[in-house]
Amino acid sequence: MVLQGSAQILNAIRGFESRFPLYSLGLMLSHLPSVVVRVAVVMGLLSAPAGAPTDPKSAMKEVMDALAAGDAARLVAVMQIDSPEQRPLADAIAELLIAGRRLADAATEKFGPAAAGITHGPIAARDADGIDQARVEPDSSGRIDLYLPGQTLPVKFARGDDGSVRLSIAHYHGGQPDQIVRQAALLRLTASAMSEVTFEIGQDRYADAASLEAAVRQKLNMVLIRSLSGDPATKPATAPATQPSR
């Protein structure tokens, strides 16, 4: 089961399933080496909370603003969280998206266009300019794919019963709630690896974009290896840390 769960996590990461939800480590890896509103809403019986985005482009702008501010709580607030059990996953996704944005910004500042292999993955500041021109593809289930200009993988949104549009995160656990804790741990490890590289960029550890890309690849591969090997850091607890006294 460890290998099965790891394979699902690996697929979620390598695809990151959208350019993000996530945004995507997977998209980054792929570039390294080279709604319909429900009847109640339509009838006006339900309405979105005040201030909540009701279209995907507005939701995308809120995501970009939260990323620019490095505000994890604001980012989580625009996510579609279907159950309390998904909250740790949402927190981990927010951590990862912010880490990816910071890495993209640091790499761009340091190496400019030469770092495109990295900056094309995480949602970068330049993507905000293309939101109004983004292609939107809804389906009858309430899911909405938003394609930013120049991107082939979508940002995934979902329309709730109240008409609000939020980032979809359900696909991150592959439809298996028992994988949430494990995937949240893996996403946090990934965010930590990305933050480490960002710190090292600031310390002038990399002479050029090529060495930076190599370092990113190595650190992310180590995260995957830890997952595939059953590292406790990516496994949910199966027993209390301490046993009750007898």
Side-chain angles (χ1 to χ4, degrees):
M1 294 304 292
V2 170
L3 288 178
Q4 180 183 0
S6 297
Q8 293 165 347
I9 293 169
L10 178 61
N11 289 336
I13 286 183
R14 288 199 181 276
F16 231 25
E17 189 114 9
S18 64
R19 276 182 66 239
F20 115 56
L22 309 174
Y23 209 173
S24 204
L25 161 61
L27 185 59
M28 176 184 290
L29 287 176
S30 70
H31 283 277
L32 288 173
S34 111
V35 203
V36 172
V37 180
R38 300 194 180 180
V39 174
V41 178
V42 174
M43 294 177 64
L45 300 179
L46 295 174
S47 60
T54 56
D55 68 89
K57 292 184 180 181
S58 295
M60 188 73 237
K61 290 176 181 179
E62 179 64 16
V63 169
M64 295 300 293
D65 289 346
L67 286 174
D71 191 334
R74 185 176 177 182
L75 196 52
V76 169
V78 77
M79 293 182 187
Q80 182 70 29
I81 302 174
D82 297 322
S83 68
E85 290 76 18
Q86 288 184 348
R87 180 55 192 260
L89 182 64
D91 290 336
I93 290 171
E95 185 177 330
L96 178 62
L97 294 181
I98 290 172
R101 172 61 177 269
R102 288 172 175 167
L103 174 57
D105 290 349
T108 298
E109 181 177 357
K110 185 70 175 180
F111 299 112
I118 291 176
T119 63
H120 194 67
I123 294 179
R126 64 174 180 270
D127 290 322
D129 297 333
I131 295 176
D132 288 334
Q133 289 74 48
R135 186 173 85 253
V136 176
E137 296 185 359
D139 66 22
S140 60
S141 70
R143 298 182 180 88
I144 307 170
D145 287 347
L146 182 147
Y147 293 84
L148 291 165
Q151 301 296 334
T152 58
L153 293 175
V155 179
K156 293 183 176 294
F157 292 93
R159 187 180 296 279
D161 290 346
D162 61 1
S164 64
V165 173
R166 302 179 186 278
L167 274 175
S168 174
I169 67 170
H171 57 290
Y172 274 102
H173 53 82
Q176 299 190 36
D178 61 313
Q179 292 295 318
I180 289 178
V181 173
R182 181 178 175 83
Q183 277 201 272
L186 179 55
L187 295 179
R188 289 187 184 280
L189 284 175
T190 303
S192 179
M194 297 168 80
S195 295
E196 184 178 348
V197 176
T198 301
F199 174 79
E200 291 171 352
I201 292 173
Q203 298 296 307
D204 293 325
R205 300 278 185 90
Y206 306 109
D208 50 38
S211 60
L212 171 60
E213 289 187 13
V216 171
R217 183 187 299 111
Q218 180 184 36
K219 291 179 187 293
L220 298 185
N221 282 340
M222 289 304 299
V223 169
L224 296 177
I225 289 171
R226 290 180 65 178
S227 171
L228 293 171
S229 65
D231 189 311
T234 64
K235 295 169 64 178
T238 56
T242 58
Q243 296 296 326
S245 57
R246 297 178 182 273

